[in-house]
Amino acid sequence: MTKRSTSFETSVRSIKDGDTIIVGGFGLCGIPEKAITALAEHGAKDLTVVSNNCGVDDWGLGLLLANKQIKKMVASYVGENKIFEEQYLNGELEVELVPQGTLAERIRAGGAGIRGFYTPTGVGTPIAEGKEHKEFDGRTCILEEAITGDAALVKAWKGDPYGNLIYRKTARNFNPLAAAAGKKTIAEVEELVEVGQLDPDFIHTPGLYVQDILEGGAYEKRIEKRTVAQA
Amino acid sequence: MTKRSTSFETSVRSIKDGDTIIVGGFGLCGIPEKAITALAEHGAKDLTVVSNNCGVDDWGLGLLLANKQIKKMVASYVGENKIFEEQYLNGELEVELVPQGTLAERIRAGGAGIRGFYTPTGVGTPIAEGKEHKEFDGRTCILEEAITGDAALVKAWKGDPYGNLIYRKTARNFNPLAAAAGKKTIAEVEELVEVGQLDPDFIHTPGLYVQDILEGGAYEKRIEKRTVAQA
Amino acid sequence: MSNSREKIINRAVQEIEDGMIVNLGIGMPTMIANHIPAGTDVFLHSENGLLGIGPYPDESELDPDLINAGKETVTVKNGGSFFDNAESFAMIRGGHIDLAILGGMEVSENGDLANWMIPEKMVKGMGGAMDIVQGARKVVIIMNHVNKHGASKVRKSCDLPLTGEQVVSRLITDMAVFDFTENGMILKEVLNGADIASVRENTEASFTVDEALMQKEDSK
Amino acid sequence: MSNSREKIINRAVQEIEDGMIVNLGIGMPTMIANHIPAGTDVFLHSENGLLGIGPYPDESELDPDLINAGKETVTVKNGGSFFDNAESFAMIRGGHIDLAILGGMEVSENGDLANWMIPEKMVKGMGGAMDIVQGARKVVIIMNHVNKHGASKVRKSCDLPLTGEQVVSRLITDMAVFDFTENGMILKEVLNGADIASVRENTEASFTVDEALMQKEDSK
């Protein structure tokens, strides 16, 4: 029952024009850099991409933007990218801005089979327009709906052939949520270990959420804001 | 900022008559046995207890039943307990049966500030009566509301003075959910370790959910159904 | 093991395919685990927070912290994992379980299931059954065809309170195998000792007979 | 650091008490971390999945997998923990963060906050701000009292699209400290260089003056 895929090219081939894909990462931290690069080469178009951010001009999801593969972006913050601004102002790119916690919860709901949930986040703001409102103990909430993806691209630190994954530090971020919400989840790892080497008490993503797993080799792991202590 | 409490007696003293308490454990596995025993001695009455099960006659939550401290039980399965049946049939005990997944999700929602959610679980059954129904992509769902507790009692394997917790095997069950949903969460652990000894990548319950932490000493850990392989 | 139980379990185990994630209900369904052929690589899911149930432990492995949903002590398979109950039901509700095999009290011709309460008796609770029937990709119910008074448990509609509406994919009894489809309830197989006529006699529900099965019986 | 920024940060840091869980917004609020007195035992929460932000790393500690919500490389404090974004916002929305200190563009007299978009400009997104203002137990906003044209940012009502309605607990500007209560907006403190009259002059919002502050100024 191994889920090892032979190549990133093979794994992303099933992604079709018009698909919705959920992509892990926060800024450039913990992004599935190999699968994104393979998807840029694959060239599937009119994608709806769900991810907290949209990369930078020449890295991460920015590569898909540069290729004009993205029709719609669902994100909480997209401020790091000139191509994004250009395509948005041109009307080439549709954008749905979602509060970060609501975005995380909508993806989590998608993976968990929860169809919708009530949250106070966004009440009284443009985000609440057109959404159902309901009071709970005097607190007004809005109804937000689940997000699922035709595919999910995630990056973990270690994984095993059954698809069990562990993440490292803040590179975890949206990755476990995306993993559970994709119909086909492609997981890339820095190190693919033997079955039994991950402690069953400390697996972040149990293998049943993962359809393809690949070892990504050397990772670039770009840093967006390199801040060091003044000596 | 240590959360070490001096004794179970001190910790449970803040629980008042009429409080709602959420209690971790599945059957007798992973139950907070020391805190339950202390609460039985403390004697707070008219409690609403939220827990997957209600212990057995002489152990776990059964001790609170025997003491007639429980007014209402919210659980998914209560079949292991004669006192329970007696009090229920007498009309002394109110029972709200909740599907196990809905119970877990309602407690999780309570801890996460999600006020309500739509699930297909229970549609067309007595559980759905009186609840709001709504269709999502042709699938009928019902609205379920969050559960929070005045207090939560949880049991972990190891913890540190900041309240960080890790659980062992299936003794995890409802414990992390309960921990997040209690206004005052009392965590008992088999071993209290120094700050810094738990790997920050593998903490199941981050310390901010915990108000009191105590080392429980020797644990009885009763087994309900001792099944061994035939040699 | 009674003859009918043996028949049901032997047939039910054939539902389990290599690579599947499977949830087995408490009682008779749990017994299926022992009949899975050695080479089949499946993960058994236990709703109390375990993916990869292993065999029962020997005395030295016995661990009070490691139980299945029936509260029996078990072991964990290599490559398994532990998680909390919300995550466990996220797996179930989110459609990540390929197959659930559960016991039944009544099944109706439109695939309704009743398996959690009998109104006159003390109600113990539904546990995870209502979540599982809504969430698993395929729900197979196993039960005796008739009750101890000889009355059919395969009904036009359920008398008992439901666990779920139109949730059963397949029903396996000690007499027959039925599928529930857009075209209604279909008799797919008769088990050793039964024939289409005897199934009809013992079934209150209306069903059609699969063509292949009809031909097979005609050619006898 | 500019004089007004220094004033704001020095005042804002006094909000942080021993034992608190604190979320600091991107930009000026992040700078508060460096001013927390050494003995204060607080946990700084970063919404990208970290409880217990430590100081910036030295060259040898630099780790691309360890950043804060502003995407700056950081370290983790002893006793800290990592988690996913859903858990991180469960902490926020669930009321487990004692204090959030965020920047503001406009604050209204009833405690509305606008801090995420200017309609004519390219909208970058709200990030986690809308969740934080609804979830944190206490929301403190820090901003300059007036904009670069000298117009008051403390308004009768916000012109800019809101981040949240009636979510601000306290506002700290370079001139004053206001609280938002059931009895409306109250001027609690004037900062060095300002007095009640100058605050009135620069504030569009209606507010009352705290009695203790009134007496203090009268006695000058």
Side-chain angles (χ1 to χ4, degrees):
Chain A
M1 204 162 88
T2 177
K3 292 166 175 176
R4 290 189 72 156
S5 164
T6 49
S7 71
F8 284 97
E9 198 195 333
T10 314
S11 281
V12 302
R13 203 175 287 154
S14 58
I15 297 175
K16 304 176 308 299
D17 291 358
D19 272 2
T20 294
I21 56 170
I22 309 178
V23 183
F26 182 95
L28 298 179
C29 180
I31 60 170
E33 39 177 272
K34 310 290 180 185
I36 292 171
T37 304
L39 184 54
E41 281 160 18
H42 168 55
K45 282 192 172 44
D46 293 325
L47 300 173
T48 294
V49 175
V50 181
S51 189
N52 191 56
N53 314 93
C54 197
V56 294
D57 284 340
D58 64 341
W59 192 234
L61 292 171
L63 299 176
L64 304 186
L65 271 182
N67 264 352
K68 304 201 172 182
Q69 292 175 265
I70 305 182
K71 187 185 71 178
K72 180 180 177 181
M73 188 72 209
V74 181
S76 87
Y77 192 81
V78 291
E80 321 287 8
N81 200 312
K82 270 176 225 150
I83 302 178
F84 189 98
E85 190 163 343
E86 219 174 85
Q87 293 187 7
Y88 176 67
L89 295 175
N90 281 349
E92 285 176 278
L93 179 66
E94 204 181 323
V95 180
E96 181 183 347
L97 289 173
V98 182
Q100 194 179 327
T102 296
L103 182 62
E105 190 68 13
R106 288 178 65 191
I107 301 170
R108 191 250 171 207
I114 296 296
R115 302 307 170 109
F117 57 87
Y118 281 102
T119 172
T121 299
V123 170
T125 80
I127 295 307
E129 284 167 21
K131 289 180 183 156
E132 276 188 38
H133 286 59
K134 191 173 167 68
E135 278 207 11
F136 293 82
D137 299 324
R139 187 86 185 261
T140 306
C141 293
I142 54 176
L143 179 62
E144 295 281 1
E145 295 195 18
I147 295 175
T148 55
D150 298 298
L153 310 181
V154 305
K155 153 77 170 54
W157 181 30
K158 294 182 184 178
D160 72 20
Y162 283 145
N164 292 306
L165 304 177
I166 62 173
Y167 306 91
R168 187 169 172 275
K169 303 187 179 180
T170 56
R172 192 180 324 179
N173 56 62
F174 282 80
N175 281 298
L177 312 171
K183 279 195 200 75
K184 175 175 180 172
T185 291
I186 302 167
E188 55 183 278
V189 297
E190 293 181 49
E191 194 188 344
L192 191 62
V193 303
E194 300 285 310
V195 167
Q197 287 194 22
L198 301 178
D199 185 335
D201 267 331
F202 300 111
I203 285 170
H204 296 130
T205 291
L208 86 176
Y209 291 124
V210 172
Q211 279 66 50
D212 277 18
I213 191 162
L214 302 101
E215 196 174 78
Y219 271 83
E220 194 163 323
K221 291 195 187 180
R222 286 202 203 167
I223 293 177
E224 267 175 283
K225 292 184 191 161
R226 197 173 180 286
T227 44
V228 291
Q230 282 131 7
Chain B
M1 204 161 89
T2 178
K3 293 164 175 177
R4 290 188 71 157
S5 164
T6 49
S7 71
F8 285 97
E9 197 197 334
T10 314
S11 280
V12 302
R13 202 174 289 153
S14 57
I15 296 175
K16 304 176 307 297
D17 291 0
D19 273 1
T20 294
I21 56 170
I22 309 178
V23 182
F26 182 94
L28 298 180
C29 180
I31 60 170
E33 39 176 275
K34 310 290 177 184
I36 291 171
T37 304
L39 183 56
E41 281 161 20
H42 168 55
K45 283 195 169 47
D46 292 325
L47 300 173
T48 294
V49 175
V50 181
S51 189
N52 191 57
N53 316 94
C54 198
V56 295
D57 283 342
D58 64 342
W59 193 233
L61 292 171
L63 299 177
L64 302 187
L65 271 181
N67 262 353
K68 304 201 172 182
Q69 292 175 265
I70 305 181
K71 187 184 71 179
K72 180 180 177 182
M73 188 71 209
V74 181
S76 86
Y77 192 81
V78 291
E80 323 286 10
N81 200 311
K82 269 177 227 148
I83 301 178
F84 189 98
E85 190 164 343
E86 219 175 85
Q87 292 187 9
Y88 176 67
L89 296 174
N90 282 348
E92 284 175 277
L93 180 65
E94 202 181 325
V95 180
E96 180 185 347
L97 289 173
V98 181
Q100 195 180 326
T102 296
L103 182 63
E105 191 68 12
R106 288 178 66 191
I107 300 170
R108 190 253 172 205
I114 295 296
R115 302 308 170 109
F117 57 88
Y118 281 103
T119 174
T121 299
V123 170
T125 79
I127 294 307
E129 283 165 22
K131 290 181 183 155
E132 277 188 39
H133 287 58
K134 191 174 167 66
E135 277 206 11
F136 293 84
D137 300 324
R139 187 86 184 260
T140 305
C141 293
I142 53 175
L143 179 62
E144 295 281 1
E145 295 195 18
I147 294 175
T148 55
D150 298 298
L153 310 181
V154 305
K155 152 78 169 53
W157 181 29
K158 294 183 184 179
D160 72 20
Y162 283 145
N164 292 306
L165 304 177
I166 62 174
Y167 306 92
R168 187 169 172 275
K169 302 187 180 179
T170 56
R172 193 181 322 179
N173 55 62
F174 281 81
N175 281 298
L177 311 172
K183 278 195 201 76
K184 174 174 180 173
T185 292
I186 301 167
E188 55 183 278
V189 297
E190 292 181 50
E191 193 188 345
L192 190 62
V193 302
E194 299 286 308
V195 167
Q197 287 194 23
L198 301 177
D199 185 335
D201 268 329
F202 301 110
I203 284 170
H204 296 131
T205 292
L208 86 177
Y209 292 124
V210 172
Q211 280 66 51
D212 277 17
I213 191 162
L214 302 102
E215 196 174 78
Y219 273 82
E220 194 162 324
K221 290 194 187 182
R222 286 203 202 166
I223 293 177
E224 264 175 284
K225 293 186 189 157
R226 197 174 181 286
T227 43
V228 291
Q230 282 131 8
Chain C
M1 196 152 62
S2 77
N3 185 34
S4 65
R5 175 167 284 198
E6 202 176 322
K7 266 192 218 168
I8 293 172
I9 289 177
N10 286 340
R11 178 57 190 82
V13 75
Q14 294 172 34
E15 299 292 316
I16 296 175
E17 292 163 25
D18 205 57
M20 273 187 170
I21 309 286
V22 180
N23 184 292
L24 300 175
I26 294 169
M28 184 160 58
T30 297
M31 299 170 70
I32 295 170
N34 296 323
H35 296 73
I36 300 172
T40 316
D41 192 6
V42 296
F43 271 84
L44 298 178
H45 175 267
S46 191
E47 61 262 35
N48 57 317
L50 163 58
L51 181 62
I53 308 175
Y56 291 127
D58 62 32
E59 289 286 346
S60 70
E61 295 167 321
L62 203 68
D63 186 342
D65 288 341
L66 180 41
I67 64 170
N68 65 16
K71 289 151 197 167
E72 299 171 330
T73 44
V74 292
T75 56
V76 59
K77 174 182 155 134
N78 210 17
S81 53
F82 300 107
F83 32 83
D84 66 47
N85 264 69
E87 182 75 42
S88 186
F89 282 89
M91 293 174 180
I92 291 170
R93 215 188 294 102
H96 308 283
I97 307 294
D98 297 304
L99 172 67
I101 306 182
L102 305 177
M105 293 172 177
E106 291 180 342
V107 170
S108 79
E109 62 190 43
N110 67 345
D112 294 352
L113 169 69
N115 76 346
W116 73 285
M117 74 176 278
I118 300 172
E120 314 86 64
K121 289 201 183 171
M122 171 70 191
V123 180
K124 295 190 168 187
M126 69 296 283
M130 287 188 184
D131 309 278
I132 293 171
V133 297
Q134 291 290 348
R137 290 197 202 150
K138 183 172 184 180
V139 174
V140 173
I141 301 300
I142 59 176
M143 65 180 193
N144 287 330
H145 206 97
V146 299
N147 68 19
K148 55 187 171 183
H149 308 295
S152 181
K153 297 169 69 172
V154 189
R155 311 291 303 271
K156 286 212 161 303
S157 68
C158 295
D159 277 349
L160 296 172
L162 296 188
T163 307
E165 274 178 343
Q166 299 182 49
V167 292
V168 182
S169 310
R170 175 165 284 185
L171 169 64
I172 299 173
T173 74
D174 50 338
M175 297 190 76
V177 178
F178 297 95
D179 278 359
F180 298 83
T181 74
E182 290 183 355
N183 303 316
M185 182 177 174
I186 300 173
L187 177 64
K188 297 289 283 186
E189 301 172 30
V190 290
L191 298 193
N192 199 12
D195 56 20
I196 297 175
S198 67
V199 171
R200 277 204 197 283
E201 221 163 275
N202 287 284
T203 305
E204 186 200 282
S206 299
F207 59 88
T208 56
V209 180
D210 183 68
E211 275 198 26
L213 176 63
M214 195 96 81
Q215 282 166 11
K216 195 170 138 197
E217 196 160 293
D218 285 348
S219 68
K220 266 184 198 164
Chain D
M1 197 152 60
S2 77
N3 184 35
S4 66
R5 174 166 286 197
E6 202 178 320
K7 265 191 219 170
I8 292 172
I9 289 176
N10 286 340
R11 178 58 191 81
V13 76
Q14 295 171 34
E15 299 293 315
I16 296 175
E17 291 164 26
D18 206 58
M20 274 187 170
I21 309 286
V22 181
N23 183 292
L24 299 175
I26 294 168
M28 183 160 59
T30 297
M31 299 169 70
I32 295 170
N34 296 323
H35 295 75
I36 301 173
T40 316
D41 192 6
V42 297
F43 271 84
L44 298 179
H45 175 267
S46 191
E47 60 263 35
N48 57 316
L50 163 57
L51 182 63
I53 308 175
Y56 291 128
D58 62 32
E59 289 286 345
S60 70
E61 296 167 320
L62 204 67
D63 185 341
D65 288 340
L66 181 40
I67 63 170
N68 65 15
K71 289 152 195 165
E72 299 171 330
T73 45
V74 292
T75 57
V76 59
K77 173 181 155 133
N78 210 16
S81 53
F82 299 106
F83 32 83
D84 66 46
N85 264 70
E87 182 74 44
S88 186
F89 281 89
M91 293 174 180
I92 290 170
R93 215 188 292 101
H96 307 283
I97 307 293
D98 297 304
L99 172 67
I101 306 182
L102 305 176
M105 293 173 177
E106 292 180 343
V107 169
S108 79
E109 62 190 43
N110 67 346
D112 294 353
L113 169 69
N115 75 349
W116 72 285
M117 73 175 279
I118 301 173
E120 313 88 63
K121 290 200 182 170
M122 172 68 192
V123 179
K124 295 189 169 187
M126 70 295 284
M130 287 188 184
D131 308 279
I132 293 171
V133 296
Q134 291 291 349
R137 290 198 203 150
K138 183 172 184 180
V139 175
V140 173
I141 301 300
I142 60 176
M143 66 179 192
N144 287 328
H145 205 97
V146 299
N147 68 18
K148 55 187 169 182
H149 308 295
S152 181
K153 298 169 70 172
V154 188
R155 311 291 305 271
K156 285 213 162 303
S157 69
C158 295
D159 277 349
L160 296 172
L162 296 188
T163 305
E165 275 177 343
Q166 298 182 47
V167 291
V168 183
S169 310
R170 174 167 283 187
L171 169 64
I172 299 173
T173 74
D174 50 338
M175 298 189 76
V177 178
F178 297 95
D179 277 359
F180 297 83
T181 74
E182 290 182 355
N183 302 316
M185 183 176 173
I186 301 173
L187 176 64
K188 297 290 282 187
E189 301 171 30
V190 291
L191 298 194
N192 199 11
D195 56 20
I196 296 175
S198 66
V199 171
R200 279 205 195 281
E201 221 163 278
N202 287 284
T203 305
E204 189 201 281
S206 300
F207 59 87
T208 56
V209 180
D210 182 69
E211 274 197 30
L213 176 63
M214 195 96 83
Q215 282 166 10
K216 196 171 139 199
E217 196 162 291
D218 285 348
S219 68
K220 267 187 196 165

